[in-house]
Amino acid sequence: MQHELQGIQAFVKVAEIGCFTRASNFLHISQPALTRRIKKLEESLGIILFERSTRNIKLTAVGREFLPKAKNLIDLYESSILNIREMATHQRGLVTLSCLPTAAFYFLPAAIKDYNNRYPHIRIRILEHSASDCLEAVLNGDADFGINMINITHPNIDFTPLVNEPFVLACRRDHPLAQKPLVMWDDLAGLRLIGVRRSSGNRSLIDEALESVAFKPDWFYEVRHLSTSLGMVEAGLGVAVVPNLAMPVNEHHILVSRPLVEPVIRRTLGLVQRRETALSPAAEKFREQLLQLWSQEASSPWIGQFTT
């Protein structure tokens, strides 16, 4: 393939210049070497590209037809090499990340901003998925990697922990439970509880954790997104059980969270990646940056709130 490419490059240059001597000087090879390249290309194609005489050369009819195709091949090769080099040096590329909506909303923007400051021409596509869909996107190759829960697993997926966070009670500031420093699950009896649907990874984790205790939550409302449950709490429709990460980062004028205990239920979020599958240079750099950010001290203004 390399020899054929060199032959095509030699053919294009001779056709453009119309002289073997000047073409060989331009390509920085000897004239006999240039002649051999053209001859090998003609033998490989099984055609004659040039009509040669002692005074001049000209393209054959087949050579004239082949010339624009040869130029396109050279352009394609050169642009492909350029793109690969740009990707390898993190100058250009696309990173696709599948992510739980809570993680996407609350801590990814800071990571993306820092990443784009370093690599401004690399585009990032975020696929906001449920836990099961997130895993599926990574397995199918629709995403380079993902941020998911540890309890949603697959033998072909590697999981790297990022953060371990508790589930908390979300309620209005004027709710009686907002006055308590700690809220027990039994305190939720008789309240209108807002929870996520049964197919949610968060719901499965809560149900499994409460199997061994007497209290069983009676979910009055079921929603698909945690943000919806918080909106309903704000409207005074009830109280919700959400991961700490789902709560507003800054102090909210209506919503507050209180630790839920006996039992404390936690979820672990982390990076999920196809096993034995190498990431693109751009995706690997973004993955490294996420790990670096989450390895910082828990006192970080945007991480510390989620690791308590």
Side-chain angles (χ1 to χ4, degrees):
M1 181 178 294
Q2 180 65 23
H3 289 153
E4 290 179 348
L5 180 61
Q6 290 176 344
I8 293 172
Q9 290 172 323
F11 162 70
V12 170
K13 194 51 60 181
V14 172
E16 289 177 340
I17 295 177
C19 174
F20 270 76
T21 302
R22 293 201 302 272
S24 63
N25 291 336
F26 184 90
L27 295 171
H28 304 292
I29 59 175
S30 66
Q31 185 172 334
L34 176 61
T35 302
R36 286 195 298 270
R37 288 186 183 182
I38 297 295
K39 184 177 181 181
K40 286 182 179 179
L41 178 63
E42 290 177 328
E43 290 174 352
S44 175
L45 297 175
I47 57 175
I48 301 299
L49 297 170
F50 292 105
E51 293 179 356
R52 300 169 177 85
S53 68
T54 56
R55 291 180 176 269
N56 55 28
I57 61 170
K58 65 178 182 178
L59 289 168
T60 63
V62 176
R64 288 193 297 271
E65 184 177 349
F66 179 59
L67 181 58
K69 297 181 176 63
K71 288 181 177 180
N72 288 337
L73 286 171
I74 297 300
D75 289 343
L76 178 61
Y77 170 78
E78 291 178 348
S79 63
S80 297
I81 292 298
L82 178 61
N83 288 339
I84 291 172
R85 287 174 177 167
E86 287 179 337
M87 290 175 62
T89 56
H90 319 300
Q91 295 177 32
R92 301 206 178 268
L94 170 67
V95 178
T96 300
L97 174 68
S98 179
C99 186
L100 298 177
T102 47
F105 185 78
Y106 287 104
F107 71 81
L108 266 188
I112 292 172
K113 181 178 180 181
D114 188 28
Y115 184 80
N116 281 155
N117 286 338
R118 298 183 184 184
Y119 312 111
H121 300 298
I122 295 180
R123 295 177 293 123
I124 296 178
R125 180 173 58 185
I126 306 297
L127 307 177
E128 296 179 70
H129 283 147
S130 65
S132 57
D133 289 342
C134 174
L135 192 73
E136 195 68 22
V138 175
L139 282 171
N140 292 340
D142 295 331
D144 295 302
F145 62 97
I147 299 178
N148 207 0
M149 298 167 58
I150 194 172
N151 58 310
I152 310 298
T153 61
H154 190 278
N156 293 331
I157 288 291
D158 286 325
F159 184 90
T160 304
L162 286 177
V163 61
N164 181 264
E165 58 163 349
F167 283 85
V168 298
L169 178 74
C171 62
R172 290 174 55 97
R173 291 184 178 275
D174 57 4
H175 194 280
L177 290 181
Q179 310 309 313
K180 303 186 65 170
L182 299 175
V183 176
M184 298 185 182
W185 284 90
D186 289 344
D187 294 333
L188 305 184
L191 300 180
R192 291 196 169 185
L193 299 182
I194 305 167
V196 288
R197 58 184 181 174
R198 293 179 181 273
S199 60
S200 164
N202 290 315
R203 173 68 176 274
S204 298
L205 197 155
I206 292 172
D207 289 345
E208 290 173 8
L210 295 178
E211 282 182 355
S212 59
V213 301
F215 175 77
K216 297 294 185 292
D218 182 15
W219 305 106
F220 192 86
Y221 300 105
E222 291 189 5
V223 299
R224 180 174 183 178
H225 299 295
L226 293 170
S227 57
T228 305
S229 67
L230 292 179
M232 296 174 69
V233 172
E234 188 173 350
L237 295 177
V239 298
V241 176
V242 301
N244 195 32
L245 190 63
M247 293 299 298
V249 176
N250 300 315
E251 185 175 352
H252 196 275
H253 65 290
I254 294 179
L255 297 176
V256 295
S257 66
R258 293 294 179 262
L260 271 171
V261 298
E262 295 189 9
V264 174
I265 304 176
R266 308 181 72 91
R267 72 173 186 174
T268 299
L269 299 183
L271 298 177
V272 289
Q273 181 182 341
R274 292 186 302 280
R275 186 161 292 165
E276 299 179 355
T277 301
L279 296 176
S280 68
E284 180 60 36
K285 272 295 177 185
F286 190 46
R287 180 183 181 278
E288 290 175 2
Q289 183 165 318
L290 283 171
L291 290 172
Q292 181 179 358
L293 283 172
W294 281 94
S295 66
Q296 294 174 358
E297 296 182 3
S299 59
S300 167
W302 63 284
I303 294 179
Q305 298 184 44
F306 307 141
T307 55
T308 57

